[in-house]
Amino acid sequence: MQPLGAVEQHGPHLPFNTDLLIAERVATAAVERVGGELEVWLLPPLAYTKSNEHAWSSGTIWLSATTLLAVLDDIGRCVAMTPARKLVFMNGHGGNSALVGVANREIRLHHGLMTFLAHPGVPPDQGGHSPAAELGMGIHGGTEETSLMLHLAPELVDMSVATRNVPESLGANRYVRFGGTVGFGWLSDDFGPEGHIGDPTTATAELGATLFDAAVEAFCGALGEIARFDLPIAP
Ligand SMILES: [Zn+2]
Protein backbone atom coordinates (compact mmCIF):
# COMPACT_ATOMS: atom_id res chain seq x y z
CA MET A 1 0.00 0.00 0.00
CA GLN A 2 1.33 3.35 -1.07
CA PRO A 3 0.26 6.46 0.88
CA LEU A 4 0.17 9.64 -1.23
CA GLY A 5 0.55 12.98 0.52
CA ALA A 6 1.19 16.51 -0.68
CA VAL A 7 3.34 19.46 0.33
CA GLU A 8 1.12 22.42 -0.43
CA GLN A 9 -0.38 25.52 1.14
CA HIS A 10 -3.48 24.82 3.27
CA GLY A 11 -4.51 28.35 4.22
CA PRO A 12 -2.94 30.34 7.05
CA HIS A 13 -4.02 27.93 9.80
CA LEU A 14 -2.73 24.54 8.61
CA PRO A 15 0.77 23.24 7.80
CA PHE A 16 2.04 22.37 4.34
CA ASN A 17 2.26 18.66 5.19
CA THR A 18 -1.45 18.34 6.11
CA ASP A 19 -2.38 15.79 3.41
CA LEU A 20 0.85 13.86 3.90
CA LEU A 21 0.33 13.56 7.64
CA ILE A 22 -3.33 12.50 7.38
CA ALA A 23 -2.69 9.89 4.67
CA GLU A 24 0.29 8.46 6.55
CA ARG A 25 -1.52 8.29 9.89
CA VAL A 26 -4.64 6.62 8.45
CA ALA A 27 -2.52 4.15 6.46
CA THR A 28 -0.33 3.31 9.46
CA ALA A 29 -3.27 2.84 11.83
CA ALA A 30 -5.05 0.56 9.36
CA VAL A 31 -1.96 -1.55 8.73
CA GLU A 32 -1.34 -1.86 12.48
CA ARG A 33 -4.88 -3.19 12.85
CA VAL A 34 -5.30 -5.53 9.86
CA GLY A 35 -1.97 -5.57 8.03
CA GLY A 36 -0.76 -8.84 9.54
CA GLU A 37 -3.95 -10.73 8.92
CA LEU A 38 -4.38 -9.39 5.36
CA GLU A 39 -0.67 -9.38 4.44
CA VAL A 40 -0.52 -5.67 3.67
CA TRP A 41 2.92 -4.17 3.07
CA LEU A 42 3.12 -0.47 3.91
CA LEU A 43 5.42 1.53 1.61
CA PRO A 44 6.89 4.89 2.68
CA PRO A 45 4.59 7.80 1.77
CA LEU A 46 5.16 9.79 -1.40
CA ALA A 47 5.32 13.37 -0.14
CA TYR A 48 5.41 15.35 -3.38
CA THR A 49 2.48 14.93 -5.73
CA LYS A 50 0.28 16.94 -8.12
CA SER A 51 -0.50 20.15 -6.24
CA ASN A 52 -0.41 22.62 -9.09
CA GLU A 53 -3.73 24.19 -8.09
CA HIS A 54 -1.54 25.73 -5.36
CA ALA A 55 1.41 26.58 -7.63
CA TRP A 56 0.88 30.30 -6.87
CA SER A 57 1.92 29.77 -3.23
CA SER A 58 5.55 29.70 -2.20
CA GLY A 59 6.25 26.58 -0.18
CA THR A 60 4.08 24.37 -2.38
CA ILE A 61 6.29 21.70 -3.95
CA TRP A 62 4.49 19.95 -6.77
CA LEU A 63 5.05 17.45 -9.53
CA SER A 64 3.50 17.93 -12.95
CA ALA A 65 0.79 15.52 -14.08
CA THR A 66 3.17 13.81 -16.50
CA THR A 67 5.88 13.48 -13.84
CA LEU A 68 3.55 12.02 -11.22
CA LEU A 69 2.01 9.63 -13.75
CA ALA A 70 5.51 8.42 -14.61
CA VAL A 71 6.45 8.07 -10.93
CA LEU A 72 3.31 6.05 -10.13
CA ASP A 73 3.94 3.83 -13.14
CA ASP A 74 7.52 3.28 -11.95
CA ILE A 75 6.26 2.35 -8.48
CA GLY A 76 3.86 -0.12 -10.12
CA ARG A 77 6.70 -1.63 -12.13
CA CYS A 78 8.76 -2.14 -8.97
CA VAL A 79 5.87 -3.57 -6.93
CA ALA A 80 5.17 -6.00 -9.78
CA MET A 81 8.69 -7.42 -9.23
CA THR A 82 7.61 -8.55 -5.75
CA PRO A 83 5.12 -11.32 -4.90
CA ALA A 84 2.42 -8.64 -4.41
CA ARG A 85 -0.34 -8.74 -7.05
CA LYS A 86 -2.25 -5.70 -5.80
CA LEU A 87 -1.32 -2.05 -5.27
CA VAL A 88 -3.46 0.25 -3.13
CA PHE A 89 -3.01 4.02 -3.14
CA MET A 90 -4.16 5.77 0.07
CA ASN A 91 -4.44 9.31 -1.26
CA GLY A 92 -4.66 12.30 1.08
CA HIS A 93 -4.80 14.96 -1.64
CA GLY A 94 -7.93 15.42 -3.76
CA GLY A 95 -5.93 17.04 -6.55
CA ASN A 96 -4.33 13.65 -7.22
CA SER A 97 -7.47 11.59 -7.53
CA ALA A 98 -8.19 11.91 -11.25
CA LEU A 99 -4.58 11.21 -12.12
CA VAL A 100 -4.34 8.21 -9.78
CA GLY A 101 -7.43 6.83 -11.53
CA VAL A 102 -5.52 7.11 -14.80
CA ALA A 103 -2.42 5.57 -13.20
CA ASN A 104 -4.49 2.65 -11.89
CA ARG A 105 -5.38 1.67 -15.44
CA GLU A 106 -1.89 2.31 -16.81
CA ILE A 107 -0.34 0.12 -14.11
CA ARG A 108 -2.97 -2.57 -14.69
CA LEU A 109 -2.13 -2.54 -18.40
CA HIS A 110 1.64 -2.20 -18.15
CA HIS A 111 2.47 -4.31 -15.11
CA GLY A 112 -0.52 -6.60 -14.52
CA LEU A 113 -1.23 -5.49 -10.96
CA MET A 114 -4.73 -5.01 -9.62
CA THR A 115 -4.86 -1.39 -8.55
CA PHE A 116 -7.01 0.56 -6.10
CA LEU A 117 -7.57 4.16 -4.99
CA ALA A 118 -8.75 4.96 -1.45
CA HIS A 119 -8.99 8.24 0.47
CA PRO A 120 -9.03 9.08 4.20
CA GLY A 121 -12.36 10.70 3.30
CA VAL A 122 -13.78 11.05 -0.21
CA PRO A 123 -13.20 14.71 -1.18
CA PRO A 124 -16.43 16.78 -1.28
CA ASP A 125 -15.76 17.77 -4.89
CA GLN A 126 -15.76 14.05 -5.71
CA GLY A 127 -19.03 13.19 -4.01
CA GLY A 128 -17.80 13.06 -0.41
CA HIS A 129 -19.39 14.65 2.64
CA SER A 130 -18.93 18.26 3.73
CA PRO A 131 -20.91 19.99 6.47
CA ALA A 132 -23.99 21.91 5.32
CA ALA A 133 -22.55 25.10 6.81
CA GLU A 134 -19.86 24.92 4.14
CA LEU A 135 -22.56 24.47 1.47
CA GLY A 136 -20.96 21.11 0.69
CA MET A 137 -17.76 22.81 -0.46
CA GLY A 138 -15.28 22.31 2.38
CA ILE A 139 -12.67 20.92 0.05
CA HIS A 140 -9.38 22.34 1.31
CA GLY A 141 -8.51 23.30 4.86
CA GLY A 142 -12.18 23.38 5.91
CA THR A 143 -14.05 22.06 8.94
CA GLU A 144 -13.28 18.38 8.57
CA GLU A 145 -9.65 18.56 7.46
CA THR A 146 -8.85 21.12 10.15
CA SER A 147 -10.60 18.94 12.74
CA LEU A 148 -8.47 15.96 11.72
CA MET A 149 -5.34 18.05 12.19
CA LEU A 150 -6.53 19.33 15.59
CA HIS A 151 -6.81 15.67 16.58
CA LEU A 152 -3.58 14.38 14.98
CA ALA A 153 -1.16 17.30 15.32
CA PRO A 154 -2.68 20.24 17.23
CA GLU A 155 0.75 21.83 17.64
CA LEU A 156 0.79 22.42 13.86
CA VAL A 157 -2.58 24.23 13.74
CA ASP A 158 -3.04 27.96 14.41
CA MET A 159 -6.76 28.54 14.96
CA SER A 160 -6.13 32.23 15.71
CA VAL A 161 -5.73 32.87 11.96
CA ALA A 162 -8.46 30.49 10.75
CA THR A 163 -11.14 32.23 8.67
CA ARG A 164 -14.27 31.12 6.85
CA ASN A 165 -13.76 31.10 3.08
CA VAL A 166 -16.74 29.47 1.37
CA PRO A 167 -17.54 30.38 -2.27
CA GLU A 168 -21.14 31.34 -1.52
CA SER A 169 -21.88 32.27 -5.16
CA LEU A 170 -21.18 28.70 -6.29
CA GLY A 171 -23.47 27.41 -3.57
CA ALA A 172 -26.45 28.78 -5.51
CA ASN A 173 -25.59 26.68 -8.55
CA ARG A 174 -27.33 23.39 -9.16
CA TYR A 175 -24.83 21.93 -11.66
CA VAL A 176 -21.61 23.92 -11.78
CA ARG A 177 -20.24 23.71 -8.25
CA PHE A 178 -17.84 21.60 -6.23
CA GLY A 179 -19.48 18.19 -6.19
CA GLY A 180 -21.91 19.20 -8.96
CA THR A 181 -22.50 17.27 -12.16
CA VAL A 182 -20.49 19.75 -14.24
CA GLY A 183 -16.83 20.02 -13.34
CA PHE A 184 -14.60 23.03 -13.88
CA GLY A 185 -10.90 23.80 -13.78
CA TRP A 186 -9.84 25.85 -10.79
CA LEU A 187 -6.86 27.16 -8.87
CA SER A 188 -7.05 27.69 -5.12
CA ASP A 189 -6.35 31.43 -5.40
CA ASP A 190 -9.47 31.73 -7.59
CA PHE A 191 -11.31 31.79 -4.24
CA GLY A 192 -9.22 34.32 -2.35
CA PRO A 193 -5.66 35.05 -1.33
CA GLU A 194 -5.59 32.75 1.71
CA GLY A 195 -5.97 29.64 -0.44
CA HIS A 196 -8.23 27.45 1.67
CA ILE A 197 -11.82 26.62 0.66
CA GLY A 198 -14.19 25.86 3.52
CA ASP A 199 -14.83 26.91 7.10
CA PRO A 200 -12.10 25.92 9.55
CA THR A 201 -13.53 28.12 12.32
CA THR A 202 -15.98 25.39 13.33
CA ALA A 203 -13.32 22.66 13.55
CA THR A 204 -12.80 20.71 16.78
CA ALA A 205 -10.43 17.99 17.93
CA GLU A 206 -13.43 15.91 19.00
CA LEU A 207 -14.82 15.93 15.46
CA GLY A 208 -11.34 15.12 14.20
CA ALA A 209 -11.12 12.06 16.47
CA THR A 210 -14.48 10.83 15.21
CA LEU A 211 -13.48 11.38 11.57
CA PHE A 212 -10.12 9.69 12.07
CA ASP A 213 -11.62 6.62 13.70
CA ALA A 214 -14.21 6.39 10.93
CA ALA A 215 -11.51 6.76 8.25
CA VAL A 216 -9.39 3.98 9.76
CA GLU A 217 -12.42 1.74 10.22
CA ALA A 218 -13.54 2.28 6.63
CA PHE A 219 -10.06 1.71 5.26
CA CYS A 220 -9.67 -1.52 7.25
CA GLY A 221 -12.96 -2.70 5.76
CA ALA A 222 -11.82 -1.67 2.29
CA LEU A 223 -8.52 -3.52 2.71
CA GLY A 224 -10.47 -6.64 3.65
CA GLU A 225 -12.50 -6.39 0.44
CA ILE A 226 -9.39 -5.63 -1.58
CA ALA A 227 -7.70 -8.74 -0.14
CA ARG A 228 -10.64 -10.84 -1.32
CA PHE A 229 -11.09 -8.95 -4.58
CA ASP A 230 -10.50 -10.62 -7.88
CA LEU A 231 -11.23 -9.62 -11.43
CA PRO A 232 -13.56 -12.17 -13.02
CA ILE A 233 -12.47 -13.32 -16.43
CA ALA A 234 -15.37 -13.51 -18.87
CA PRO A 235 -16.00 -17.06 -20.13
ZN1 LIG B 1 -5.61 18.88 2.21
Side-chain angles (χ1 to χ4, degrees), residues 8 10 18-19 92 140 145:
E8 63 182 33
H10 264 81
T18 293
D19 295 347
H140 183 61
E145 194 169 45

Side-chain angles (χ1 to χ4, degrees), residues 115-172:
T115 47
F116 306 87
L117 167 60
H119 296 89
V122 176
D125 56 334
Q126 298 170 37
H129 175 262
S130 174
E134 294 179 307
L135 309 178
M137 295 187 288
I139 67 166
H140 183 61
T143 303
E144 296 196 344
E145 194 169 45
T146 303
S147 295
L148 277 167
M149 289 300 285
L150 284 171
H151 170 59
L152 295 173
E155 71 281 5
L156 300 179
V157 183
D158 184 355
M159 289 300 284
S160 72
V161 291
T163 58
R164 177 184 169 86
N165 188 41
V166 173
E168 310 278 348
S169 60
L170 283 183

Side-chain angles (χ1 to χ4, degrees), residues 19-37:
D19 295 347
L20 174 61
L21 191 144
I22 292 171
E24 185 174 21
R25 294 287 286 273
V26 170
T28 301
V31 169
E32 281 174 358
R33 196 184 298 177
V34 299
E37 164 200 342

Side-chain angles (χ1 to χ4, degrees), residues 1-5 20 24 41-47 75:
M1 190 240 298
Q2 172 66 67
L4 300 175
L20 174 61
E24 185 174 21
W41 303 344
L42 179 60
L43 298 171
L46 187 64
I75 290 170

